[in-house]
Amino acid sequence: MQRRNFVKKTTLTSLATLLGSPIVFGQQLPIGYQPLGIQEPDPFKMFNKDAQMVLLNDKPWNMEAQAHLLNDKVTPNKFMFIRNNGNIPKEIDVDSWTLTFDGESVTQEKTFTLKELKTKFKQYTYQLTLECGGNGRSEFDPPAKGNQWTVGAVSCAKWTGVRLKDVLEDVGIKEDAVYVGYHATDTHLSNDPTKEPISRGVPIEKAMQEETLIAFQMNGEAIPLAHGFPLRLIAGGFPASASGKWIDRLSIRNIVHDGPKMTGTAYRVPCTPVAPGEKVADEDMCIIESMPVKSLITYPKTGAILQKGKKLNVKGHAWAGELRVTQMEYSIDFGSTWKACQLQQPVNRLAWQHFSATIDFPKEGYYEVWARATDERGKAQPMLLPGWNPKGYLNNACHRIAVKISS
Ligand SMILES: Nc1nc2c(c(=O)[nH]1)N[C@H]1C(S)=C(S)[C@@H](COP(=O)(O)O)O[C@H]1N2
Ligand SMILES: [Mo]
């Protein structure tokens, strides 16, 4: 049959539904043309996000939280940041979805259906901190290109899946394996089908950790589309770019994986500190692995006004990549003196830890509350910006909120 060169009837019907009335000369519509009367979808509704989330980009979709939205111990979807490098995959057929293991270091290529993964291996649930390597980028000077994240590109949801190490044992990997690289079904912004927007992954030692999951659930439900439905790699404590969404292939490599965004300045920082703005040779750049110690005051919202004589109960979370946070302090005098916060242990390894403090303010006026976490190796957050790097990664400066004490 010959292909007819006008808009399909079903398309016209759905366009009419979106417009709220039939298109009178609909048969004349050029194929692929979007009528002006069709509103762009509201991204907050489309992704089930709270309207207080901040949209940074729509091509691709990037959205962050504000500090006070992250007060929950377990981050719900509505407050979880979205970071995409390409286009979210459109048609996902769960029934035919498979995950293939290939690469130089598999003994034999092997493919699993979703059902096989879910039934063959034991399932585990962990709460895992995912922070974008570029979180805090907006503060760097000279400015770094990329999404201008402030503080909200971090989450700590509950992820359920199977251990990557259990599946790797079943697949069989060779002694020379050094890296697991992910491949996914999101498409390149150029729409060039031969290009991948991003293909990163984790060193084999990280892949073998108990908390490294091939996940299919987030907070007890199927992973939301924007966060990697139906299958995603989760490597807590590493930059979240290591946690591939929409994965359909894991390559077990005998070299450090060299997919898009593994090389150059992408997710890499100077191995030793450099002056702001300095050019850094390729061989002097190192891949970001464990994220640095950091914390966030999530209650109250910055700008809080408090009556004189009232105490303020501040709350927040602290995390330190693959390490534990062992000390949490606050300052109300711009870092001259510090007092201890109460700090909880994580619910499991690689989950953020909650802190709180009850603060007394000496008299009315403007204050800032600064928070500072220290990791188990004694490394503390810098008060202001840490070392400059070309793409503005790893800003773990102390978070601060403004508080006014009124009479
Ligand atoms: N397939 C795929 N996986 C991906 C990305 C992507 O663009 N495509 N972005 C990465 C980056 S840079 C980050 S910070 C996290 C963001 O995860 P989230 O959107 O679920 O918060 O996903 C990572 N995994
Ligand atoms: Mo990221």
Side-chain angles (χ1 to χ4, degrees):
M1 203 180 91
Q2 225 194 321
R3 251 184 152 214
R4 304 227 302 232
N5 205 18
F6 48 78
V7 183
K8 276 197 233 139
K9 235 186 159 162
T10 49
T11 313
L12 276 183
T13 314
S14 53
L15 284 176
T17 312
L18 287 169
L19 286 162
S21 62
I23 309 173
V24 176
F25 294 111
Q27 294 294 340
Q28 263 43 273
L29 260 189
I31 286 174
Y33 176 80
Q34 180 170 305
L36 298 174
I38 290 183
Q39 300 281 311
E40 287 296 331
D42 174 342
F44 303 100
K45 287 196 182 126
M46 185 165 67
F47 297 121
N48 291 315
K49 298 294 174 184
D50 188 276
Q52 295 176 81
M53 294 288 283
V54 180
L55 187 66
L56 298 186
N57 196 353
D58 62 349
K59 287 188 183 75
W61 291 110
N62 286 297
M63 203 183 265
E64 74 169 327
Q66 303 184 54
H68 71 281
L69 300 178
L70 291 170
N71 194 43
D72 294 275
K73 291 190 168 172
V74 179
T75 312
N77 177 48
K78 64 179 174 179
F79 297 139
M80 182 181 272
F81 78 99
I82 300 176
R83 163 62 170 136
N84 293 323
N85 290 263
N87 307 306
I88 296 177
K90 282 210 177 80
E91 275 134 43
I92 290 174
D93 182 6
V94 190
D95 296 327
S96 64
W97 192 276
T98 55
L99 180 67
T100 298
F101 288 79
D102 67 3
E104 303 91 357
S105 299
V106 287
T107 45
Q108 209 182 348
E109 199 177 298
K110 194 161 180 177
T111 297
F112 298 90
T113 62
L114 280 183
K115 197 173 165 203
E116 280 167 343
L117 281 175
K118 288 180 189 173
T119 52
K120 195 164 179 185
F121 304 97
K122 191 164 179 235
Q123 299 186 10
Y124 296 87
T125 299
Y126 300 107
Q127 210 189 317
L128 297 164
T129 309
L130 290 186
E131 183 181 16
C132 178
N135 196 20
R137 174 178 292 136
S138 63
E139 286 192 320
F140 279 101
D141 193 25
K145 285 205 187 97
N147 286 295
Q148 295 301 301
W149 304 109
T150 64
V151 295
V154 62
S155 67
C156 195
K158 267 188 200 158
W159 296 92
T160 301
V162 296
R163 284 180 174 154
L164 175 55
K165 81 180 183 80
D166 290 351
V167 186
L168 287 177
E169 263 158 41
D170 183 83
V171 171
I173 59 167
K174 296 184 195 162
E175 291 257 305
D176 65 355
V178 298
Y179 227 89
V180 177
Y182 66 75
H183 298 277
T185 65
D186 48 340
T187 57
H188 197 266
L189 289 177
S190 65
N191 285 323
D192 179 344
T194 64
K195 282 189 183 163
E196 293 178 286
I198 186 169
S199 169
R200 304 193 73 250
V202 291
I204 199 75
E205 299 74 33
K206 179 71 177 169
M208 290 304 193
Q209 285 182 8
E210 296 188 345
E211 301 82 5
T212 303
L213 300 179
I214 300 173
F216 35 78
Q217 282 194 342
M218 187 182 103
N219 296 337
E221 288 170 14
I223 301 175
L225 177 62
H227 298 291
F229 179 79
L231 212 55
R232 115 174 256 187
L233 184 65
I234 294 284
F238 267 43
S241 53
S243 295
K245 307 193 271 192
W246 314 291
I247 54 169
D248 63 354
R249 191 154 63 90
L250 291 176
S251 291
I252 319 308
R253 308 294 313 268
N254 64 4
I255 55 163
V256 173
H257 184 54
D258 51 1
K261 310 236 164 156
M262 282 300 292
T263 53
T265 53
Y267 303 104
R268 302 203 312 165
V269 291
C271 305
T272 50
V274 299
E278 199 175 308
K279 278 250 176 318
V280 188
D282 211 50
E283 63 270 23
D284 296 329
M285 296 287 282
C286 284
I287 297 173
I288 303 168
E289 295 191 339
S290 180
M291 292 292 285
V293 62
K294 196 160 170 179
S295 59
L296 196 61
I297 302 167
T298 57
Y299 183 86
K301 184 181 175 178
T302 188
I305 299 173
L306 202 75
Q307 281 242 284
K308 203 170 92 183
K310 286 252 164 72
K311 287 178 200 244
L312 180 67
N313 191 228
V314 300
K315 288 181 202 164
H317 317 290
W319 60 96
E322 297 221 280
L323 302 178
R324 220 170 252 236
V325 177
T326 48
Q327 198 185 354
M328 191 66 218
E329 298 156 294
Y330 73 89
S331 174
I332 58 167
D333 57 11
F334 302 103
S336 303
T337 60
W338 295 86
K339 287 199 173 112
C341 298
Q342 278 175 327
L343 176 68
Q344 290 179 27
Q345 291 303 318
V347 288
N348 53 249
R349 197 176 158 257
L350 310 180
W352 63 19
Q353 297 167 239
H354 315 300
F355 68 84
S356 61
T358 306
I359 307 182
D360 251 331
F361 296 89
K363 55 177 163 188
E364 47 189 280
Y366 176 88
Y367 294 87
E368 287 185 13
V369 180
W370 292 24
R372 181 171 73 180
T374 305
D375 73 24
E376 62 187 84
R377 296 203 184 136
K379 255 199 186 164
Q381 291 182 255
M383 279 200 263
L384 298 173
L385 268 182
W388 182 89
N389 59 87
K391 287 290 283 289
Y393 295 121
L394 308 183
N395 177 4
N396 65 335
C398 289
H399 183 231
R400 41 213 177 253
I401 58 165
V403 176
K404 208 169 159 183
I405 306 298
S406 71
S407 51

